[in-house]
Amino acid sequence: MSRVSHSALRNSYRVWLPALIAVAVAVGGFGTAVAQEDILSKVDISFEVAPANVSFADEVIFTLEVTHPDDYSVVVHKLPRDWGQFEVREQSQAQTVLNDDGTKTMSQTIRAVVFGRGTVQTPDLPISVRSPDGTVEQAFPIPKELNVGSVLPGPDAEPMDIRQQAEISTPPWDDPVARTSALLIVLAGLLAGAVVAAYLIRRRLQGAPLPVVDTRTPWEIAIDELDRIERLDLPEDGLFKEHYTLVADTMRVYVQAMYLRDVSPVDAIDMTTDEIWEALRRTTLNYDDAKLVLDLLREADLVKFAKYTPAVSQSYEASGQARYIVEVTRPAFQPEEPSQNGTYTQQEAPA
């Protein structure tokens, strides 16, 4: 009895097991179909074309709009250049806006040229729709039909009469009189433009201010600059580095104009303190005066580069030292008597 029951049970499994598997597969497929239908049911696709009636090789504009829930994402695939009987010239970037009801609308335009005749239908335009759970489904807008006429004349069209030769006008450039007149007009215009330009240039030159020439001697320039520096009162504001930089630059400009113009190819304003010292040793400036210049520039280097902070009184003494150097090294002769090489040399004052 027990053996029969087990045998019957095994036979029943053999009969019902395939049926159960088939039911499970069908249920799963139905669930997928429902899920797909549920995803696309929330998407509204609008696909329009303008104009609908065109001629061969005319340009048309397709407007695609896809309205979908906020948490959905929509991607329009890039179309090939040869899209059925259309040649895609431009596919714009997709633009998405948020609607008042919480949905979003993605829009895109497609500019294409139609190369078919008669009734032309748009090919598939695949759109990928992705739901929040990651499921991606394909959607396709309803194809659009265009009525494309031919640019060639119909079979009933009557041929036009050939124009007589007398009706064909001669191009103006082939007429010698017209060509000569045109050249004369161009030459007259160029000549008038040249006269006006010359007049304007002459007026500008006549009204231009004369260049300002500084007639001061190098020592006068140095003294005036030191006066200006002292009026700034930079040390009182703690601007020691700025004060020493101005004083040192004034001294560099002075020794350049007085002694170094023909000694070194490098301007003193671009030379280091040691380079200025070596150059001064090759000039007519005596050792003691050159040493005064060296000491002043080295003190300025300490303040500018070694972060040395001097006293306020010491800073004013630096500008006074520069003034003293200018006074003891300035030549005692008339300004209009410079040496032949352009430098100023020390001379005895007249008795």
Side-chain angles (χ1 to χ4, degrees), residues 38-52:
D38 184 64
I39 291 175
L40 298 183
S41 65
K42 298 180 180 180
V43 177
D44 183 23
I45 301 176
S46 172
F47 190 48
E48 301 295 337
V49 60

Side-chain angles (χ1 to χ4, degrees), residues 20 26 65:
L20 292 174
E65 291 186 352

Side-chain angles (χ1 to χ4, degrees), residues 254-327:
Y254 174 72
V255 297
Q256 171 67 29
M258 294 294 296
Y259 301 103
L260 302 183
R261 181 180 302 175
D262 297 327
V263 175
S264 174
V266 182
D267 196 283
I269 201 71
D270 299 321
M271 297 168 63
T272 65
T273 298
D274 292 339
E275 290 172 343
I276 292 177
W277 167 250
E278 294 297 330
L280 287 176
R281 298 293 294 133
R282 301 194 299 270
T283 65
T284 58
L285 185 64
N286 62 66
Y287 178 86
D288 292 336
D289 293 339
K291 188 65 168 55
L292 292 176
V293 176
L294 175 65
D295 293 341
L296 176 62
L297 295 181
R298 284 182 173 174
E299 182 179 343
D301 289 343
L302 287 175
V303 178
K304 291 191 297 181
F305 306 117
K307 298 182 179 181
Y308 169 68
T309 303
V312 174
S313 58
Q314 182 180 355
S315 301
Y316 285 113
E317 289 176 1
S319 58
Q321 178 72 0
R323 187 186 300 274
Y324 174 76
I325 293 173
V326 173
E327 292 294 342

Side-chain angles (χ1 to χ4, degrees), residues 139-157:
F140 300 90
I142 299 176
K144 304 300 294 186
E145 290 187 351
L146 286 79
N147 297 318
V148 183
S150 175
V151 296
L152 300 176
D156 298 332

Side-chain angles (χ1 to χ4, degrees), residues 2 17 45 54 58 68 144-145 167 175 181 183 312 324 350:
S2 174
L17 183 58
I45 301 176
V54 293
D58 277 356
H68 56 87
K144 304 300 294 186
E145 290 187 351
E167 297 178 359
D175 187 353
S181 301
L183 289 176
V312 174
Y324 174 76

Side-chain angles (χ1 to χ4, degrees), residues 124-144:
D124 288 339
L125 177 58
I127 303 171
S128 295
V129 181
R130 185 177 184 274
S131 63
D133 61 0
T135 304
V136 178
E137 299 295 343
Q138 293 283 347
F140 300 90
I142 299 176
K144 304 300 294 186

